[in-house]
Amino acid sequence: MSIVRFDAVNIRNIQQASIFPSNRINLIAGCNGSGKTSLLEAIHLLALGKSFRTHQIHKVVASGADRLVVFAEYISDNNVSFALGVERSKETTRLRINGCNVGKVAELAQLVPLQLINPDSHQLIELGPRHRRQFVDWGMFHVEQEFFPVWCRFNQALRQRNAALRLGASDTEISVWHSEMSVCADHISDMRRSYVADLIPVARAVVEKLSGITPLDIRFFPGWSGEEQYEHCLNHSIKTDRNLGYTRHGPHRADLSISVGGVQARDRVSRGEQKLIAAALRLSQLELMKIKTRRSCILLIDDLPSELDETHRELFIDYLYKLSCQIFITTTESGLLGDKMEIVDKVFHVEHGNIEEVI
Ligand SMILES: Nc1ncnc2c1ncn2[C@@H]1O[C@H](COP(=O)(O)OP(=O)(O)O)[C@@H](O)[C@H]1O
Ligand SMILES: [Mg+2]
């Protein structure tokens, strides 16, 4: 799959840009502040309807404009062409596939799997469980078709239970939701556990290849004590949850433990190594997706090569070359790739928000 044409209007300092990227490796080069990350942000908006830098869309819309638009001609893995468009302003979001409005971002996201590796990637290792849940659920969403509907059902029941807790409803009124939540929670956790089990061998191999770090281990925590049935856990927690005003345990609190040699990775490896592990983990998700669904993915890599020493950079770039997917890599120096420059198919030069293909 790949984007064959991409247009962006009013994304930060990009007023209007139109590019015809290669279906393999595209290098986006330019000085600091030229608009490289903004181009990746625009591609992210196309696939996910939102930015990876902020939830406040008015910050992404170019100053002076009231809306942004991204458009792409896209070819899927089975060679079907799509016209995709996203228009966003402070008030409205319009998503289009082949000229028809679509109601849910999930429809776009399903069609255009996209993975991002950027200087914040180490958050996966260092920060809270939310980042690791998002990581697992990216895989769930693209690999396990049953996941998304069950996840929506669970969240709907969770919202209702939380509302009942806050309204001071009776135990009976609160526990009306327990059976639905419990059925969904067990299904979600089974799917996540099995995804993580499949990911571990792939992740170990990629992490070792790219960083030399071994032995990596990943453990999954469902979000409540695995010893207990979730329905019992909900029944026991009504009192404490009522005091808190929300449901403390459940799949919305799941986490992963990522460790090296039996020690939490965040306590053991350097920031640079954390970035490398996090990048390798995301790449291993692409490998697993390919194995399980035969689908490829668009990969955005922001600034990463500049954070790696030469040896790791070469290993990383060799690895990217072997991935058969469309990649957009930003860099401040096009010379940074050194001998590896030959793997780049197209170079785009960015200056003051203008993007030109370098011939
Ligand atoms: N809403 C906006 N409107 C116009 N310019 C913006 C907006 N938000 C950020 N910018 C500017 O866009 C420029 C490009 O930013 P960015 O894409 O992050 O650059 P880089 O090439 O370093 O990745 C920066 O100079 C930034 O100040
Ligand atoms: Mg940048």
Side-chain angles (χ1 to χ4, degrees), residues 135-137 139-140 143-144 188-205 216-221 255-257 281 284-285 288-289 291-292:
F135 169 80
V136 177
D137 290 347
M140 303 299 313
V143 168
E144 185 53 79
I188 289 168
S189 295
D190 288 347
M191 286 188 280
R192 282 174 169 165
R193 192 176 287 109
S194 128
Y195 177 77
V196 172
D198 289 341
L199 187 69
I200 289 172
V202 185
R204 279 195 184 129
L216 177 93
D217 204 10
I218 306 176
R219 283 181 61 202
F220 169 69
F221 296 97
D255 197 0
L256 295 177
S257 142
L281 288 174
S284 65
Q285 288 194 297
L288 186 60
M289 180 169 152
I291 294 167
K292 292 247 172 199

Side-chain angles (χ1 to χ4, degrees), residues 33 36-38 53 302-303 330:
K36 304 178 299 298
T37 304
S38 303
R53 292 203 273 197
D302 198 17
D303 271 349
T330 68

